[in-house]
Amino acid sequence: MANSILQVEDLVKRYGDVEAVRGVSFAVEEGEVFGLLGPNGAGKTSTVEVLEGLRTPDGGRVSVCGLDPQRDSAALKHEIGAALQSTSLPDKLRVMEALRLFASFYKRRRNPEELLKRFGLEEKRNTFYNQLSGGQKQRLALAMALVNDPKVLFFDEPTAGLDPQVRREIYDIIEELKREKKTIVMTTHYIEEAERLCDRVAIVDHGKVIALGTPRDLKAHSGGTTRIEVRLSKPESNGTLKSLEGATDAREVGGTYVIHSKRSPQTIVSLVKHLEAQDNELVSLEIASPSLEDVFIEMTGRRLRD
Amino acid sequence: MTNFATLTRMRIRLTLRNKMFLFFSVIMPFGFFFLYAGIFAKGVPRGVRYLLGPVIALTVMGSFWGLSAALVMFREQGILRRFHVTPVTPSDMLASSIVANFVLTMPTVIVEILFARFIFHVTSFGNLFSVFLLIALGTMSFASMGLFLPATYLVTELQDAIYWSAAPWSRDFLIAAASLVVWAALTFFLSAQLFRWEPESKIPGRAKLLVAATAIPFLLLGIWENSSSHTISKAKAMAESLDAPSKPDAPSGNAH
């Protein structure tokens, strides 16, 4: 903790009367991909923007690479790279010009040619920014975050508004950075993204961290039950289903029986046996493994929606 | 320093790719030039020479609007935010705007002077050194905040320099140049202090006080100018000299 590359303690950020961040604390270790997961307006972006030195905190302490983002702003900016939310470039700036321009601001630089190749933008090198697709703009934003070979990377909603295929492209890029042991702090409201990319996740809601840990730990902690959804040809009582092997809960929701189980294979086997004995039939069966969404629902009573 | 240089190059390049620039920095100034020189001054060399000052001042102001509008657009589109996470400072951003503005305005001004020389046969341009010094100072003071006061000084002194051949050491010229320098320095300082990277951010109350404090010396100067009618009497003198009997075809004094 003492030598964490990034530390946040009791961070508070207000906008007028609105308290966007209400006492957030966490620490990020070197080489880690750390995610802030939460719905829109949870305070993720405000937290990240304080860490980048873009916003002044109203309380608490923050340190990035041993620097104070406010006091040592000039020094810090050489150490960080960022892909911001709702950012843009001049329409008539070409891809390669953008990389060269931003590289020129730093003492430590990476070769723009190499970045262009790596982010698959070689063919677009002379294209104006306003002629790029959403995915290409985002790839350029990520490439630009790397021009100074930063110690800490901030990706604020790196895949928001992109279609699923482009989103997967961005995941591949972030996974590659992860293999290179880059320290990344990212925000997202996509469960899949947090589970797939992050070593550790802080679940944020209403300006507070409500849970923090590895995606696996968080899921295990929240009961870790698998959801089995079945439709039957004849009605069955909830009580009988609850008594199936490994089952912890069973409910009928609109004609579908939702069974929660700690050992799903055994539960399914005993369900099938039970149905055979009752001369009942399975119409459909779906299994959903526990996700961070279940964790969020359990802690807030709400869904974490797009 | 290198940030300033690369930003300046970028601003010039982007401006040249922008069609709005063509309008504000090329079409509009030449439109004014021919309107003033051809119609108001009736193409008479003496009249053209008299109105060249205001036309050049308009050119300088026009290109200022083009460039500062670009900076505001950069902010509203969230482009400045991206620069904010880099080591670029507000001073880099402002200084590059000013220099890019100057570099892009000069060719138009030079062409206007050449047009005056070869189309309207104006043979003498007064003190060209003074003219260019004023343009440089003018661009700088406009680039931060274009207010009425520097406009007055720029217009009358450009006229003085061109029409009366005012040398850089004449008293009025020194006052005008000094006020443009002070204005440029103050507004630059203020703009750097007030520089906003974010579209939604507000100007802090402390900053508004600063603006008010900066305006005071100029307000006093303005009051003094008004009560002494110094600038106005100078304009009258110039206009009257145009109506002098030796030049029966000179335009009337209320041309502008």
Side-chain angles (χ1 to χ4, degrees), chain B:
Chain B
M1 200 61 197
T2 48
N3 290 354
F4 155 73
T6 46
L7 281 171
T8 306
R9 239 175 294 144
M10 175 202 75
R11 291 300 299 278
I12 293 174
R13 202 180 284 154
L14 288 176
T15 310
L16 290 174
R17 288 175 191 163
N18 186 345
K19 286 180 194 76
M20 284 279 279
F21 161 78
L22 209 69
F23 178 74
F24 280 111
S25 299
V26 182
I27 296 173
M28 210 175 71
F30 286 126
F32 274 119
F33 176 82
F34 285 106
L35 182 75
Y36 274 60
I39 297 169
F40 292 161
K42 302 191 183 85
V44 177
R46 238 177 113 108
V48 173
R49 193 178 158 197
Y50 172 64
L51 291 174
L52 197 57
V55 168
I56 291 176
L58 272 174
T59 308
V60 172
M61 285 187 274
S63 70
F64 150 72
W65 285 119
L67 247 95
S68 60
L71 205 58
V72 171
M73 259 167 60
F74 279 5
R75 183 174 67 219
E76 297 310 312
Q77 292 170 351
I79 293 168
L80 286 187
R81 307 185 77 223
R82 187 58 188 82
F83 287 92
H84 195 186
V85 271
T86 71
V88 167
T89 62
S91 303
D92 289 331
M93 225 58 213
L94 286 170
S96 62
S97 261
I98 294 167
V99 173
N101 192 7
F102 183 70
V103 169
L104 292 164
T105 309
M106 275 329 275
T108 312
V109 171
I110 290 170
V111 171
E112 279 172 345
I113 291 176
L114 290 177
F115 276 179
R117 170 73 189 80
F118 294 105
I119 299 178
F120 296 104
H121 309 291
V122 176
T123 44
S124 157
F125 292 94
N127 193 312
L128 274 182
F129 177 71
S130 304
V131 173
F132 286 109
L133 191 67
L134 278 169
I135 293 167
L137 291 173
T139 2
M140 274 196 272
S141 53
F142 280 122
S144 304
M145 263 181 255
L147 288 185
F148 181 70
L149 207 102
T152 318
Y153 279 107
L154 188 64
V155 172
T156 56
E157 278 320 302
L158 269 173
Q159 267 187 331
D160 263 16
I162 294 169
Y163 198 73
W164 298 126
S165 310
W169 49 87
S170 75
R171 185 178 151 274
D172 281 357
F173 184 91
L174 283 177
I175 291 179
S179 47
L180 285 175
V181 169
V182 171
W183 185 257
L186 275 175
T187 49
F188 188 87
F189 168 77
L190 261 182
S191 308
Q193 294 293 307
L194 302 183
F195 196 83
R196 294 181 299 147
W197 301 92
E198 306 277 338
E200 78 276 23
S201 57
K202 283 193 217 116
I203 294 177
R206 168 187 67 87
K208 287 178 193 155
L209 271 173
L210 254 154
V211 175
T214 321
I216 289 170
F218 289 96
L219 210 68
L220 294 177
L221 199 63
I223 293 168
W224 174 76
E225 279 281 4
N226 240 332
S227 60
S228 68
S229 314
H230 185 65
T231 311
I232 298 163
S233 59
K234 238 163 74 174
K236 267 193 195 141
M238 247 186 273
E240 275 157 16
S241 84
L242 285 171
D243 289 332
S246 60
K247 295 275 171 196
D249 55 346
S252 61
N254 56 11
H256 81 163

